[in-house]
């Protein structure tokens, strides 16, 4: 395992291994319904490059978007489409967190990808932490200050998670879906400790109430 102390995903208790559909593997915590998926469980497509170039990744590899910049929302799903079928342990509202890395000195550059859950439409998901692996995954629905994590109403069983390329140089390692009703958001100070992981300080500004998709 290549993860450092501060990079472990959030959880409340011991892992319960789940087999996910379509060659994806994950695990869920009993007190905190959660699924983790390594991005390399499907083949890299389009401009996604499977590599081990950024230290601190989990699993066997990470994906880096080496294709062009496709900023307009109409490009969602058109470049480097990755599709995962994940088995959700229980009905409820789930936050999606993508463990990501970007090293542009400008925190607003090379910092995003597109996300689609169960065909509910493509959204831009981005992070503002530079040169470090982090779980921050933000949505700005109003293109202003209404930032919030992406949250979805999901049903128990198979759900479809899709990611596609947006900004050159953005790396992803794994993604996580966890219940917002019983887990602590990765936005919250002390969230990792709350969910049973190591204590770290999240310096992110508290988000607005999430828009549920």
């Amino acid at each position: 395992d290549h993860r450092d102390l501060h990079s472990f995903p959030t959880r409340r208790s011991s892992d319960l291994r789940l087999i996910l559909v379509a060659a994806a593997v994950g695990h869920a915590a009993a007190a905190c319904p959660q699924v983790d998926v390594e991005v390399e469980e499907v083949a890299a497509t389009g401009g996604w490059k499977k590599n081990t170039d950024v230290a601190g990744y989990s699993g066997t590899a990470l994906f880096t978007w080496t294709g062009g910049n496709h900023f307009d929302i109409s490009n969602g799903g058109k470049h480097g489409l990755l599709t995962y079928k994940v088995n959700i342990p229980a009905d409820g509202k789930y936050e999606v967190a993508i463990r990501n890395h970007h090293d542009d000195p400008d925190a607003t550059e090379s910092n995003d990808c597109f996300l689609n859950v169960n065909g509910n439409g493509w959204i831009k998901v981005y992070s503002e932490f530079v040169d470090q692996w982090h779980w921050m995954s933000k949505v700005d629905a109003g293109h202003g200050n209404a930032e919030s994590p992406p949250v979805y109403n999901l049903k128990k069983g198979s759900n479809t998670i899709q990611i596609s390329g947006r900004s050159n140089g953005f790396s992803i390692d794994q993604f996580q879906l966890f219940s917002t009703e019983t887990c602590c958001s990765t936005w919250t100070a002390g969230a990792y400790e709350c969910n049973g992981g190591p204590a770290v300080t999240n310096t992110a500004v508290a988000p607005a109430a999430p828009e549920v998709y």
Side-chain angles (χ1 to χ4, degrees):
D1 194 331
H2 304 270
R3 287 174 281 188
D4 58 30
L5 179 64
H6 289 181
S7 64
F8 282 88
T10 54
R11 56 181 56 84
R12 282 187 188 276
S13 59
S14 60
D15 294 343
L16 171 65
R17 301 297 293 184
L18 296 177
I19 302 301
L20 306 183
V21 185
V25 177
H27 52 266
C32 175
Q34 174 183 315
V35 176
D36 301 340
V37 180
E38 296 287 343
V39 295
E40 70 272 19
E41 296 300 334
V42 302
T45 60
W48 289 110
K49 176 186 177 183
K50 183 179 180 180
N51 67 92
T52 56
D53 297 342
V54 184
Y57 64 90
S58 64
T60 61
L62 61 118
F63 286 178
T64 300
W65 181 247
T66 62
N69 292 320
H70 303 290
F71 297 143
D72 193 273
I73 194 65
S74 64
N75 287 306
K78 293 182 179 178
H79 306 277
L81 180 63
L82 306 173
T83 299
Y84 303 84
K85 296 289 187 178
V86 299
N87 187 24
I88 297 300
D91 291 359
K93 293 179 181 178
Y94 285 78
E95 181 174 330
V96 181
I98 300 173
R99 189 167 187 262
N100 65 85
H101 186 284
H102 55 102
D103 55 14
D104 193 297
D106 184 340
T108 65
E109 297 293 335
S110 301
N111 69 332
D112 52 46
C113 64
F114 287 117
L115 172 70
N116 191 338
V117 177
N118 288 336
N120 282 310
W122 289 96
I123 59 173
K124 179 184 80 170
V125 175
Y126 61 100
S127 170
E128 293 177 353
F129 284 84
V130 176
D131 202 23
Q132 62 179 293
W133 286 109
H134 206 278
W135 288 97
M136 176 177 278
S137 302
K138 300 166 56 167
V139 176
D140 184 356
H143 198 69
N145 295 316
E147 296 177 328
S148 66
V151 177
Y152 293 84
N153 279 313
L154 300 181
K155 295 292 186 181
K156 179 180 178 179
S158 180
N159 289 262
T160 302
I161 312 300
Q162 293 180 302
I163 296 171
S164 71
R166 187 178 190 275
S167 292
N168 180 273
F170 188 64
S171 294
I172 56 177
D173 176 36
Q174 62 178 221
F175 63 88
Q176 182 183 93
L177 296 92
F178 57 91
S179 169
T180 62
E181 296 159 3
T182 55
C183 307
C184 297
S185 172
T186 52
W187 281 70
T188 307
Y192 292 85
E193 185 177 16
C194 172
N195 287 305
V200 296
T201 300
N202 189 335
T203 57
V205 175
E211 180 176 349
V212 181
Y213 295 91

